[in-house]
Structure formats: C-alpha cells, structure tokens
Short mmCIF file of all heavy atoms in Angstrom, two decimals:
data_model
loop_
_atom_site.label_atom_id
_atom_site.label_comp_id
_atom_site.label_asym_id
_atom_site.label_seq_id
_atom_site.Cartn_x
_atom_site.Cartn_y
_atom_site.Cartn_z
N GLU A 1 -14.65 -15.86 -4.87
CA GLU A 1 -13.54 -14.92 -4.98
C GLU A 1 -13.50 -14.00 -3.76
O GLU A 1 -12.44 -13.69 -3.25
CB GLU A 1 -13.68 -14.11 -6.26
CG GLU A 1 -12.45 -13.25 -6.51
CD GLU A 1 -12.48 -12.62 -7.88
OE1 GLU A 1 -12.66 -13.35 -8.87
OE2 GLU A 1 -12.34 -11.40 -7.93
N GLU A 2 -14.68 -13.57 -3.30
CA GLU A 2 -14.73 -12.71 -2.12
C GLU A 2 -14.19 -13.45 -0.89
O GLU A 2 -13.49 -12.87 -0.07
CB GLU A 2 -16.18 -12.28 -1.87
CG GLU A 2 -16.31 -11.31 -0.72
CD GLU A 2 -17.74 -10.82 -0.53
OE1 GLU A 2 -18.45 -10.68 -1.52
OE2 GLU A 2 -18.11 -10.62 0.63
N ARG A 3 -14.49 -14.72 -0.81
CA ARG A 3 -14.01 -15.53 0.31
C ARG A 3 -12.49 -15.65 0.28
O ARG A 3 -11.83 -15.58 1.32
CB ARG A 3 -14.66 -16.91 0.26
CG ARG A 3 -14.41 -17.72 1.47
CD ARG A 3 -15.19 -19.01 1.42
NE ARG A 3 -15.31 -19.52 2.76
CZ ARG A 3 -16.28 -20.25 3.20
NH1 ARG A 3 -17.27 -20.57 2.40
NH2 ARG A 3 -16.30 -20.67 4.42
N ALA A 4 -11.91 -15.81 -0.92
CA ALA A 4 -10.46 -15.90 -1.06
C ALA A 4 -9.82 -14.58 -0.66
O ALA A 4 -8.79 -14.56 0.02
CB ALA A 4 -10.09 -16.27 -2.49
N SER A 5 -10.45 -13.48 -1.05
CA SER A 5 -9.92 -12.16 -0.70
C SER A 5 -9.96 -11.95 0.81
O SER A 5 -9.01 -11.41 1.39
CB SER A 5 -10.74 -11.07 -1.40
OG SER A 5 -10.28 -9.80 -1.03
N LEU A 6 -11.04 -12.37 1.44
CA LEU A 6 -11.15 -12.25 2.89
C LEU A 6 -10.08 -13.09 3.59
O LEU A 6 -9.46 -12.64 4.55
CB LEU A 6 -12.55 -12.68 3.34
CG LEU A 6 -12.87 -12.52 4.82
CD1 LEU A 6 -12.71 -11.07 5.26
CD2 LEU A 6 -14.27 -13.00 5.10
N SER A 7 -9.84 -14.29 3.08
CA SER A 7 -8.80 -15.15 3.65
C SER A 7 -7.42 -14.52 3.50
O SER A 7 -6.60 -14.58 4.42
CB SER A 7 -8.81 -16.52 2.97
OG SER A 7 -9.96 -17.23 3.33
N GLU A 8 -7.18 -13.90 2.35
CA GLU A 8 -5.91 -13.22 2.13
C GLU A 8 -5.76 -12.03 3.07
O GLU A 8 -4.68 -11.80 3.63
CB GLU A 8 -5.79 -12.77 0.68
CG GLU A 8 -5.63 -13.90 -0.31
CD GLU A 8 -5.74 -13.46 -1.76
OE1 GLU A 8 -5.74 -12.22 -2.01
OE2 GLU A 8 -5.84 -14.33 -2.63
N ASP A 9 -6.84 -11.27 3.24
CA ASP A 9 -6.80 -10.12 4.15
C ASP A 9 -6.52 -10.57 5.58
O ASP A 9 -5.74 -9.93 6.29
CB ASP A 9 -8.12 -9.34 4.11
CG ASP A 9 -8.31 -8.53 2.85
OD1 ASP A 9 -7.33 -8.38 2.09
OD2 ASP A 9 -9.44 -8.05 2.63
N LEU A 10 -7.14 -11.65 5.99
CA LEU A 10 -6.94 -12.16 7.35
C LEU A 10 -5.49 -12.63 7.53
O LEU A 10 -4.87 -12.33 8.56
CB LEU A 10 -7.91 -13.31 7.64
CG LEU A 10 -7.88 -13.86 9.06
CD1 LEU A 10 -8.12 -12.76 10.08
CD2 LEU A 10 -8.91 -14.96 9.21
N ALA A 11 -4.94 -13.30 6.54
CA ALA A 11 -3.55 -13.75 6.62
C ALA A 11 -2.61 -12.55 6.69
O ALA A 11 -1.65 -12.56 7.47
CB ALA A 11 -3.22 -14.62 5.41
N THR A 12 -2.90 -11.52 5.90
CA THR A 12 -2.08 -10.30 5.93
C THR A 12 -2.17 -9.63 7.30
O THR A 12 -1.16 -9.23 7.87
CB THR A 12 -2.53 -9.31 4.84
OG1 THR A 12 -2.37 -9.93 3.56
CG2 THR A 12 -1.72 -8.02 4.88
N LEU A 13 -3.37 -9.53 7.83
CA LEU A 13 -3.56 -8.91 9.15
C LEU A 13 -2.82 -9.68 10.23
O LEU A 13 -2.15 -9.08 11.08
CB LEU A 13 -5.05 -8.80 9.48
CG LEU A 13 -5.40 -8.10 10.78
CD1 LEU A 13 -4.85 -6.68 10.81
CD2 LEU A 13 -6.90 -8.10 10.97
N LYS A 14 -2.89 -10.99 10.20
CA LYS A 14 -2.17 -11.80 11.19
C LYS A 14 -0.67 -11.56 11.09
O LYS A 14 0.02 -11.45 12.11
CB LYS A 14 -2.47 -13.29 10.98
CG LYS A 14 -3.83 -13.70 11.46
CD LYS A 14 -4.05 -15.19 11.25
CE LYS A 14 -5.40 -15.62 11.76
NZ LYS A 14 -5.63 -17.06 11.59
N ARG A 15 -0.15 -11.46 9.87
CA ARG A 15 1.28 -11.21 9.69
C ARG A 15 1.66 -9.82 10.21
O ARG A 15 2.68 -9.66 10.90
CB ARG A 15 1.66 -11.33 8.20
CG ARG A 15 3.14 -11.14 7.94
CD ARG A 15 3.51 -11.36 6.48
NE ARG A 15 2.66 -10.62 5.54
CZ ARG A 15 2.78 -9.32 5.28
NH1 ARG A 15 3.68 -8.60 5.90
NH2 ARG A 15 1.99 -8.75 4.40
N LEU A 16 0.83 -8.83 9.93
CA LEU A 16 1.11 -7.47 10.40
C LEU A 16 1.05 -7.39 11.92
O LEU A 16 1.87 -6.70 12.55
CB LEU A 16 0.13 -6.48 9.76
CG LEU A 16 0.28 -6.27 8.26
CD1 LEU A 16 -0.84 -5.38 7.73
CD2 LEU A 16 1.64 -5.69 7.91
N VAL A 17 0.11 -8.07 12.53
CA VAL A 17 0.01 -8.08 14.00
C VAL A 17 1.27 -8.74 14.59
O VAL A 17 1.79 -8.28 15.61
CB VAL A 17 -1.28 -8.78 14.48
CG1 VAL A 17 -1.24 -9.05 15.97
CG2 VAL A 17 -2.49 -7.93 14.12
N ALA A 18 1.77 -9.77 13.94
CA ALA A 18 2.98 -10.45 14.43
C ALA A 18 4.20 -9.53 14.38
O ALA A 18 5.16 -9.75 15.12
CB ALA A 18 3.24 -11.71 13.62
N GLU A 19 4.15 -8.49 13.56
CA GLU A 19 5.25 -7.53 13.44
C GLU A 19 5.16 -6.40 14.46
O GLU A 19 6.08 -5.60 14.58
CB GLU A 19 5.29 -6.95 12.02
CG GLU A 19 5.59 -7.97 10.95
CD GLU A 19 5.44 -7.43 9.53
OE1 GLU A 19 5.10 -6.23 9.37
OE2 GLU A 19 5.64 -8.20 8.59
N LEU A 20 4.05 -6.32 15.18
CA LEU A 20 3.86 -5.25 16.17
C LEU A 20 4.74 -5.49 17.39
O LEU A 20 5.21 -6.60 17.63
CB LEU A 20 2.40 -5.20 16.62
CG LEU A 20 1.36 -4.85 15.56
CD1 LEU A 20 -0.05 -5.02 16.14
CD2 LEU A 20 1.56 -3.44 15.03
N SER A 21 4.88 -4.45 18.20
CA SER A 21 5.60 -4.59 19.46
C SER A 21 4.83 -5.53 20.38
O SER A 21 3.62 -5.70 20.22
CB SER A 21 5.76 -3.22 20.13
OG SER A 21 4.50 -2.79 20.64
N PRO A 22 5.50 -6.11 21.36
CA PRO A 22 4.80 -7.00 22.30
C PRO A 22 3.62 -6.31 23.00
O PRO A 22 2.57 -6.91 23.19
CB PRO A 22 5.89 -7.40 23.30
CG PRO A 22 7.16 -7.30 22.52
CD PRO A 22 6.95 -6.13 21.59
N ARG A 23 3.78 -5.05 23.33
CA ARG A 23 2.71 -4.30 23.99
C ARG A 23 1.50 -4.14 23.06
O ARG A 23 0.35 -4.33 23.48
CB ARG A 23 3.25 -2.93 24.40
CG ARG A 23 2.26 -2.03 25.05
CD ARG A 23 2.96 -0.78 25.49
NE ARG A 23 2.08 0.36 25.34
CZ ARG A 23 2.35 1.56 25.75
NH1 ARG A 23 3.50 1.81 26.31
NH2 ARG A 23 1.51 2.53 25.61
N GLU A 24 1.76 -3.82 21.80
CA GLU A 24 0.68 -3.69 20.84
C GLU A 24 -0.01 -5.04 20.59
O GLU A 24 -1.23 -5.11 20.49
CB GLU A 24 1.19 -3.11 19.52
CG GLU A 24 1.63 -1.67 19.63
CD GLU A 24 2.36 -1.17 18.39
OE1 GLU A 24 3.11 -1.97 17.77
OE2 GLU A 24 2.19 0.01 18.05
N GLN A 25 0.79 -6.09 20.53
CA GLN A 25 0.23 -7.43 20.34
C GLN A 25 -0.66 -7.81 21.53
O GLN A 25 -1.73 -8.41 21.34
CB GLN A 25 1.33 -8.46 20.17
CG GLN A 25 2.03 -8.39 18.84
CD GLN A 25 3.09 -9.47 18.70
OE1 GLN A 25 2.96 -10.55 19.24
NE2 GLN A 25 4.15 -9.16 17.96
N LEU A 26 -0.24 -7.43 22.72
CA LEU A 26 -1.04 -7.73 23.91
C LEU A 26 -2.37 -7.01 23.84
O LEU A 26 -3.42 -7.60 24.13
CB LEU A 26 -0.27 -7.34 25.18
CG LEU A 26 -0.99 -7.58 26.51
CD1 LEU A 26 -1.32 -9.07 26.68
CD2 LEU A 26 -0.13 -7.08 27.67
N LEU A 27 -2.36 -5.75 23.44
CA LEU A 27 -3.60 -4.99 23.31
C LEU A 27 -4.52 -5.66 22.29
O LEU A 27 -5.71 -5.86 22.55
CB LEU A 27 -3.32 -3.55 22.89
CG LEU A 27 -4.54 -2.64 22.89
CD1 LEU A 27 -4.12 -1.21 23.20
CD2 LEU A 27 -5.30 -2.67 21.59
N VAL A 28 -3.98 -6.04 21.14
CA VAL A 28 -4.79 -6.70 20.11
C VAL A 28 -5.40 -7.98 20.66
O VAL A 28 -6.59 -8.22 20.52
CB VAL A 28 -3.94 -7.00 18.84
CG1 VAL A 28 -4.68 -7.94 17.90
CG2 VAL A 28 -3.57 -5.71 18.13
N ARG A 29 -4.56 -8.80 21.29
CA ARG A 29 -5.06 -10.08 21.80
C ARG A 29 -6.13 -9.89 22.87
O ARG A 29 -7.21 -10.49 22.81
CB ARG A 29 -3.92 -10.94 22.35
CG ARG A 29 -4.40 -12.39 22.61
CD ARG A 29 -3.36 -13.27 23.23
NE ARG A 29 -3.40 -13.05 24.68
CZ ARG A 29 -2.36 -12.66 25.41
NH1 ARG A 29 -1.19 -12.46 24.88
NH2 ARG A 29 -2.49 -12.47 26.70
N LEU A 30 -5.83 -9.05 23.84
CA LEU A 30 -6.78 -8.87 24.94
C LEU A 30 -8.09 -8.24 24.49
O LEU A 30 -9.17 -8.75 24.80
CB LEU A 30 -6.16 -8.02 26.05
CG LEU A 30 -5.03 -8.65 26.85
CD1 LEU A 30 -4.46 -7.63 27.82
CD2 LEU A 30 -5.50 -9.89 27.58
N HIS A 31 -8.00 -7.14 23.75
CA HIS A 31 -9.21 -6.38 23.42
C HIS A 31 -9.95 -6.93 22.21
O HIS A 31 -11.16 -7.14 22.25
CB HIS A 31 -8.86 -4.91 23.22
CG HIS A 31 -10.05 -4.04 23.06
ND1 HIS A 31 -10.98 -3.87 24.06
CD2 HIS A 31 -10.51 -3.32 22.01
CE1 HIS A 31 -11.93 -3.05 23.63
NE2 HIS A 31 -11.67 -2.71 22.39
N PHE A 32 -9.23 -7.16 21.12
CA PHE A 32 -9.90 -7.54 19.88
C PHE A 32 -10.15 -9.04 19.75
O PHE A 32 -11.10 -9.46 19.10
CB PHE A 32 -9.11 -7.04 18.67
CG PHE A 32 -9.05 -5.54 18.58
CD1 PHE A 32 -7.90 -4.86 18.91
CD2 PHE A 32 -10.17 -4.81 18.20
CE1 PHE A 32 -7.85 -3.47 18.84
CE2 PHE A 32 -10.13 -3.43 18.13
CZ PHE A 32 -8.97 -2.75 18.45
N VAL A 33 -9.31 -9.85 20.36
CA VAL A 33 -9.48 -11.30 20.25
C VAL A 33 -10.27 -11.83 21.45
O VAL A 33 -11.27 -12.53 21.29
CB VAL A 33 -8.11 -12.02 20.12
CG1 VAL A 33 -8.29 -13.53 20.10
CG2 VAL A 33 -7.38 -11.55 18.87
N ASP A 34 -9.82 -11.48 22.66
CA ASP A 34 -10.44 -12.02 23.87
C ASP A 34 -11.64 -11.19 24.36
O ASP A 34 -12.37 -11.64 25.24
CB ASP A 34 -9.41 -12.12 25.00
CG ASP A 34 -8.28 -13.08 24.68
OD1 ASP A 34 -8.44 -13.92 23.77
OD2 ASP A 34 -7.22 -12.99 25.34
N GLY A 35 -11.81 -9.97 23.82
CA GLY A 35 -12.95 -9.15 24.21
C GLY A 35 -12.85 -8.49 25.57
O GLY A 35 -13.86 -8.11 26.16
N VAL A 36 -11.64 -8.34 26.07
CA VAL A 36 -11.43 -7.71 27.38
C VAL A 36 -11.72 -6.22 27.24
O VAL A 36 -11.32 -5.58 26.26
CB VAL A 36 -9.98 -7.95 27.85
CG1 VAL A 36 -9.69 -7.21 29.15
CG2 VAL A 36 -9.72 -9.45 28.01
N ASP A 37 -12.42 -5.64 28.23
CA ASP A 37 -12.74 -4.22 28.14
C ASP A 37 -11.53 -3.35 28.44
O ASP A 37 -10.54 -3.80 29.02
CB ASP A 37 -13.94 -3.87 29.02
CG ASP A 37 -13.69 -4.08 30.50
OD1 ASP A 37 -12.57 -4.39 30.89
OD2 ASP A 37 -14.66 -3.93 31.28
N ILE A 38 -11.62 -2.10 28.01
CA ILE A 38 -10.49 -1.17 28.08
C ILE A 38 -9.94 -1.00 29.50
O ILE A 38 -8.72 -1.00 29.67
CB ILE A 38 -10.85 0.19 27.43
CG1 ILE A 38 -11.02 0.02 25.92
CG2 ILE A 38 -9.80 1.25 27.74
CD1 ILE A 38 -9.77 -0.38 25.17
N PRO A 39 -10.76 -0.85 30.53
CA PRO A 39 -10.18 -0.70 31.87
C PRO A 39 -9.27 -1.88 32.26
O PRO A 39 -8.20 -1.68 32.85
CB PRO A 39 -11.40 -0.61 32.78
CG PRO A 39 -12.48 -0.06 31.91
CD PRO A 39 -12.23 -0.67 30.56
N ASP A 40 -9.69 -3.09 31.91
CA ASP A 40 -8.87 -4.26 32.23
C ASP A 40 -7.62 -4.34 31.35
O ASP A 40 -6.56 -4.76 31.81
CB ASP A 40 -9.70 -5.54 32.12
CG ASP A 40 -10.76 -5.63 33.21
OD1 ASP A 40 -10.56 -5.03 34.29
OD2 ASP A 40 -11.79 -6.29 32.98
N VAL A 41 -7.76 -3.94 30.09
CA VAL A 41 -6.59 -3.90 29.21
C VAL A 41 -5.59 -2.88 29.76
O VAL A 41 -4.38 -3.14 29.80
CB VAL A 41 -6.98 -3.55 27.76
CG1 VAL A 41 -5.74 -3.34 26.89
CG2 VAL A 41 -7.87 -4.63 27.16
N ALA A 42 -6.09 -1.73 30.20
CA ALA A 42 -5.22 -0.69 30.75
C ALA A 42 -4.45 -1.23 31.95
O ALA A 42 -3.23 -0.99 32.05
CB ALA A 42 -6.06 0.53 31.17
N ARG A 43 -5.12 -1.94 32.82
CA ARG A 43 -4.44 -2.53 33.98
C ARG A 43 -3.37 -3.52 33.54
O ARG A 43 -2.27 -3.54 34.08
CB ARG A 43 -5.43 -3.19 34.92
CG ARG A 43 -6.16 -2.22 35.83
CD ARG A 43 -6.96 -2.91 36.91
NE ARG A 43 -8.21 -3.49 36.41
CZ ARG A 43 -9.31 -2.80 36.13
NH1 ARG A 43 -9.32 -1.50 36.30
NH2 ARG A 43 -10.39 -3.42 35.70
N ALA A 44 -3.68 -4.34 32.54
CA ALA A 44 -2.71 -5.33 32.05
C ALA A 44 -1.49 -4.64 31.43
O ALA A 44 -0.36 -5.14 31.55
CB ALA A 44 -3.36 -6.25 31.03
N LEU A 45 -1.72 -3.50 30.78
CA LEU A 45 -0.62 -2.76 30.15
C LEU A 45 0.11 -1.86 31.15
O LEU A 45 1.20 -1.38 30.85
CB LEU A 45 -1.14 -1.91 28.99
CG LEU A 45 -1.71 -2.66 27.79
CD1 LEU A 45 -2.28 -1.66 26.78
CD2 LEU A 45 -0.66 -3.52 27.13
N GLY A 46 -0.51 -1.61 32.29
CA GLY A 46 0.10 -0.74 33.29
C GLY A 46 0.03 0.73 32.92
O GLY A 46 0.91 1.51 33.28
N VAL A 47 -1.03 1.11 32.20
CA VAL A 47 -1.21 2.51 31.79
C VAL A 47 -2.64 2.93 32.10
O VAL A 47 -3.47 2.11 32.47
CB VAL A 47 -0.90 2.71 30.29
CG1 VAL A 47 0.55 2.38 29.98
CG2 VAL A 47 -1.83 1.90 29.41
N SER A 48 -2.92 4.22 31.92
CA SER A 48 -4.28 4.72 32.18
C SER A 48 -5.23 4.26 31.08
O SER A 48 -4.81 3.85 29.99
CB SER A 48 -4.26 6.25 32.22
OG SER A 48 -4.03 6.78 30.93
N GLU A 49 -6.52 4.37 31.39
CA GLU A 49 -7.53 4.04 30.38
C GLU A 49 -7.40 4.96 29.19
O GLU A 49 -7.52 4.52 28.04
CB GLU A 49 -8.93 4.14 30.97
CG GLU A 49 -9.25 3.03 31.94
CD GLU A 49 -10.66 3.13 32.49
OE1 GLU A 49 -11.58 3.53 31.74
OE2 GLU A 49 -10.84 2.79 33.68
N ASN A 50 -7.15 6.25 29.44
CA ASN A 50 -7.00 7.21 28.35
C ASN A 50 -5.82 6.81 27.45
O ASN A 50 -5.94 6.83 26.22
CB ASN A 50 -6.81 8.63 28.89
CG ASN A 50 -6.83 9.65 27.78
OD1 ASN A 50 -7.77 9.69 27.00
ND2 ASN A 50 -5.78 10.46 27.70
N ALA A 51 -4.71 6.45 28.05
CA ALA A 51 -3.55 6.04 27.26
C ALA A 51 -3.87 4.79 26.44
O ALA A 51 -3.41 4.65 25.30
CB ALA A 51 -2.35 5.78 28.18
N THR A 52 -4.67 3.91 26.99
CA THR A 52 -5.06 2.70 26.27
C THR A 52 -5.94 3.04 25.08
O THR A 52 -5.76 2.48 23.99
CB THR A 52 -5.78 1.72 27.22
OG1 THR A 52 -4.93 1.44 28.33
CG2 THR A 52 -6.13 0.42 26.52
N HIS A 53 -6.87 3.97 25.26
CA HIS A 53 -7.70 4.41 24.14
C HIS A 53 -6.84 5.03 23.03
O HIS A 53 -7.07 4.78 21.85
CB HIS A 53 -8.76 5.42 24.61
CG HIS A 53 -9.93 4.78 25.27
ND1 HIS A 53 -10.87 4.05 24.59
CD2 HIS A 53 -10.32 4.77 26.57
CE1 HIS A 53 -11.79 3.62 25.44
NE2 HIS A 53 -11.48 4.04 26.65
N VAL A 54 -5.87 5.85 23.42
CA VAL A 54 -4.98 6.48 22.45
C VAL A 54 -4.17 5.41 21.72
O VAL A 54 -4.06 5.44 20.49
CB VAL A 54 -4.05 7.52 23.13
CG1 VAL A 54 -2.97 8.00 22.18
CG2 VAL A 54 -4.87 8.68 23.66
N LEU A 55 -3.61 4.47 22.46
CA LEU A 55 -2.83 3.40 21.86
C LEU A 55 -3.69 2.58 20.89
O LEU A 55 -3.27 2.27 19.78
CB LEU A 55 -2.25 2.49 22.95
CG LEU A 55 -1.42 1.31 22.48
CD1 LEU A 55 -0.21 1.77 21.67
CD2 LEU A 55 -0.96 0.47 23.67
N LYS A 56 -4.91 2.28 21.30
CA LYS A 56 -5.83 1.51 20.45
C LYS A 56 -6.13 2.27 19.16
O LYS A 56 -6.10 1.70 18.07
CB LYS A 56 -7.12 1.23 21.22
CG LYS A 56 -8.20 0.57 20.42
CD LYS A 56 -9.46 0.43 21.26
CE LYS A 56 -10.68 0.28 20.41
NZ LYS A 56 -11.92 0.29 21.19
N SER A 57 -6.38 3.56 19.27
CA SER A 57 -6.68 4.38 18.10
C SER A 57 -5.49 4.43 17.15
O SER A 57 -5.64 4.27 15.93
CB SER A 57 -7.07 5.79 18.55
OG SER A 57 -7.31 6.60 17.44
N ARG A 58 -4.31 4.66 17.69
CA ARG A 58 -3.10 4.71 16.86
C ARG A 58 -2.81 3.35 16.22
O ARG A 58 -2.38 3.28 15.07
CB ARG A 58 -1.91 5.16 17.70
CG ARG A 58 -1.99 6.62 18.08
CD ARG A 58 -0.81 7.03 18.92
NE ARG A 58 -0.95 8.44 19.29
CZ ARG A 58 -0.24 9.04 20.22
NH1 ARG A 58 0.68 8.35 20.90
NH2 ARG A 58 -0.42 10.30 20.50
N LEU A 59 -3.04 2.31 16.97
CA LEU A 59 -2.80 0.97 16.47
C LEU A 59 -3.74 0.63 15.32
O LEU A 59 -3.32 0.08 14.30
CB LEU A 59 -2.98 -0.04 17.61
CG LEU A 59 -2.78 -1.51 17.31
CD1 LEU A 59 -1.40 -1.76 16.73
CD2 LEU A 59 -2.97 -2.32 18.57
N ARG A 60 -5.01 0.98 15.46
CA ARG A 60 -5.97 0.74 14.37
C ARG A 60 -5.58 1.51 13.13
O ARG A 60 -5.63 0.97 12.02
CB ARG A 60 -7.38 1.12 14.82
CG ARG A 60 -7.93 0.14 15.86
CD ARG A 60 -9.28 0.54 16.34
NE ARG A 60 -10.24 0.37 15.25
CZ ARG A 60 -11.51 0.72 15.34
NH1 ARG A 60 -11.96 1.27 16.45
NH2 ARG A 60 -12.32 0.53 14.34
N ALA A 61 -5.17 2.77 13.29
CA ALA A 61 -4.75 3.58 12.14
C ALA A 61 -3.50 2.99 11.49
O ALA A 61 -3.39 2.94 10.25
CB ALA A 61 -4.51 5.02 12.57
N LYS A 62 -2.58 2.55 12.30
CA LYS A 62 -1.35 1.93 11.80
C LYS A 62 -1.65 0.68 10.99
O LYS A 62 -1.14 0.51 9.87
CB LYS A 62 -0.46 1.60 13.00
CG LYS A 62 0.86 0.95 12.71
CD LYS A 62 1.57 0.70 14.05
CE LYS A 62 2.93 0.13 13.93
NZ LYS A 62 3.59 0.00 15.24
N LEU A 63 -2.48 -0.20 11.54
CA LEU A 63 -2.82 -1.43 10.84
C LEU A 63 -3.63 -1.15 9.57
O LEU A 63 -3.41 -1.77 8.54
CB LEU A 63 -3.58 -2.38 11.76
CG LEU A 63 -2.75 -3.03 12.86
CD1 LEU A 63 -3.65 -3.79 13.83
CD2 LEU A 63 -1.69 -3.95 12.27
N ARG A 64 -4.55 -0.19 9.65
CA ARG A 64 -5.34 0.19 8.48
C ARG A 64 -4.43 0.68 7.36
O ARG A 64 -4.58 0.28 6.20
CB ARG A 64 -6.35 1.27 8.87
CG ARG A 64 -7.39 1.55 7.82
CD ARG A 64 -8.43 2.58 8.29
NE ARG A 64 -9.14 2.13 9.46
CZ ARG A 64 -9.11 2.73 10.65
NH1 ARG A 64 -8.39 3.83 10.83
NH2 ARG A 64 -9.80 2.27 11.66
N GLY A 65 -3.46 1.53 7.71
CA GLY A 65 -2.53 2.04 6.71
C GLY A 65 -1.68 0.94 6.10
O GLY A 65 -1.46 0.91 4.88
N LYS A 66 -1.21 0.04 6.93
CA LYS A 66 -0.39 -1.07 6.42
C LYS A 66 -1.21 -2.01 5.54
O LYS A 66 -0.70 -2.53 4.55
CB LYS A 66 0.25 -1.84 7.58
CG LYS A 66 1.36 -1.06 8.23
CD LYS A 66 2.07 -1.88 9.30
CE LYS A 66 3.24 -1.10 9.84
NZ LYS A 66 4.26 -1.95 10.43
N MET A 67 -2.46 -2.22 5.90
CA MET A 67 -3.34 -3.06 5.07
C MET A 67 -3.54 -2.41 3.71
O MET A 67 -3.51 -3.09 2.68
CB MET A 67 -4.69 -3.31 5.74
CG MET A 67 -4.65 -4.23 6.94
SD MET A 67 -4.25 -5.94 6.55
CE MET A 67 -5.73 -6.45 5.67
N ARG A 68 -3.72 -1.10 3.68
CA ARG A 68 -3.88 -0.39 2.40
C ARG A 68 -2.62 -0.46 1.57
O ARG A 68 -2.68 -0.66 0.37
CB ARG A 68 -4.26 1.08 2.66
CG ARG A 68 -5.68 1.24 3.13
CD ARG A 68 -6.07 2.69 3.27
NE ARG A 68 -7.44 2.78 3.70
CZ ARG A 68 -7.89 3.62 4.61
NH1 ARG A 68 -7.07 4.46 5.20
NH2 ARG A 68 -9.16 3.63 4.94
N THR A 69 -1.47 -0.33 2.23
CA THR A 69 -0.20 -0.45 1.51
C THR A 69 -0.05 -1.84 0.92
O THR A 69 0.36 -1.99 -0.24
CB THR A 69 0.97 -0.16 2.48
OG1 THR A 69 0.84 1.19 2.97
CG2 THR A 69 2.31 -0.30 1.79
N GLU A 70 -0.39 -2.84 1.69
CA GLU A 70 -0.31 -4.23 1.23
C GLU A 70 -1.24 -4.45 0.04
O GLU A 70 -0.92 -5.24 -0.85
CB GLU A 70 -0.68 -5.20 2.35
CG GLU A 70 0.30 -5.25 3.49
CD GLU A 70 1.55 -6.04 3.18
OE1 GLU A 70 1.47 -6.99 2.39
OE2 GLU A 70 2.59 -5.71 3.75
N ALA A 71 -2.37 -3.77 0.03
CA ALA A 71 -3.36 -3.93 -1.05
C ALA A 71 -3.00 -3.10 -2.28
O ALA A 71 -3.65 -3.20 -3.30
CB ALA A 71 -4.75 -3.57 -0.54
N GLY A 72 -1.95 -2.27 -2.12
CA GLY A 72 -1.51 -1.44 -3.24
C GLY A 72 -2.33 -0.19 -3.47
O GLY A 72 -2.36 0.37 -4.55
N GLU A 73 -3.04 0.24 -2.44
CA GLU A 73 -3.84 1.47 -2.57
C GLU A 73 -3.01 2.70 -2.35
O GLU A 73 -2.06 2.74 -1.67
CB GLU A 73 -5.00 1.43 -1.55
CG GLU A 73 -6.00 0.36 -1.83
CD GLU A 73 -7.14 0.34 -0.84
OE1 GLU A 73 -7.29 1.30 -0.06
OE2 GLU A 73 -7.89 -0.63 -0.84
#
C-alpha cells in the first residue's frame, strides 16, 4: 500500500511540474533531476544565484502546497 501511495504521489508531482512555467520546469529538470548546481542553473536561467535560490525556495513551497491540496489536507 505504501508503494502504491508513493507511485500516486510521484504521478501527482509529475503532473504538477508539467503545469509549471517553462522557467520553473527548467529549474526542476536541471537542479532536481539532472543534479546541476545552483551557479550553473542560474547561468542557464540568466539570473543571479540569489534569484535562483529564491525561485527554488518559492517553487518548493508552491509544489508542497499543491501536493497537500491534492492529498486533501
């Protein structure tokens, strides 16, 4: 049952990421999927490292909130 729940959570997360802006999707792919460090992600996004950290923090909070909403919390 735990495995099914994890699979459902992953499917939900993938769907929510697909709904993000292209810039947010790029950050997710580069940093969380490909493991690219923040300085390189910042260069790819064309923003400062600080702005990338802020975007990452806001993005995590946004996804966390949407996951909770999806779970009915």
Side-chain angles (χ1 to χ4, degrees):
E1 188 171 308
E2 184 177 326
R3 190 174 200 151
S5 178
L6 184 58
S7 290
E8 290 171 11
D9 286 348
L10 185 56
T12 299
L13 184 58
K14 285 181 179 181
R15 182 176 50 78
L16 292 174
V17 168
E19 296 172 0
L20 296 173
S21 72
R23 178 176 145 173
E24 291 170 324
Q25 287 182 32
L26 180 60
L27 187 150
V28 168
R29 192 184 84 237
L30 291 175
H31 187 63
F32 295 106
V33 176
D34 297 341
V36 175
D37 63 7
I38 292 295
D40 291 334
V41 173
R43 280 190 284 283
L45 295 175
V47 298
S48 70
E49 288 181 37
N50 187 54
T52 304
H53 281 289
V54 170
L55 179 60
K56 174 184 158 186
S57 178
R58 289 179 181 166
L59 179 57
R60 290 177 69 185
K62 179 180 183 177
L63 288 172
R64 191 176 300 117
K66 288 185 175 203
M67 288 293 290
R68 286 185 179 138
T69 299
E70 292 283 330
E73 294 181 13

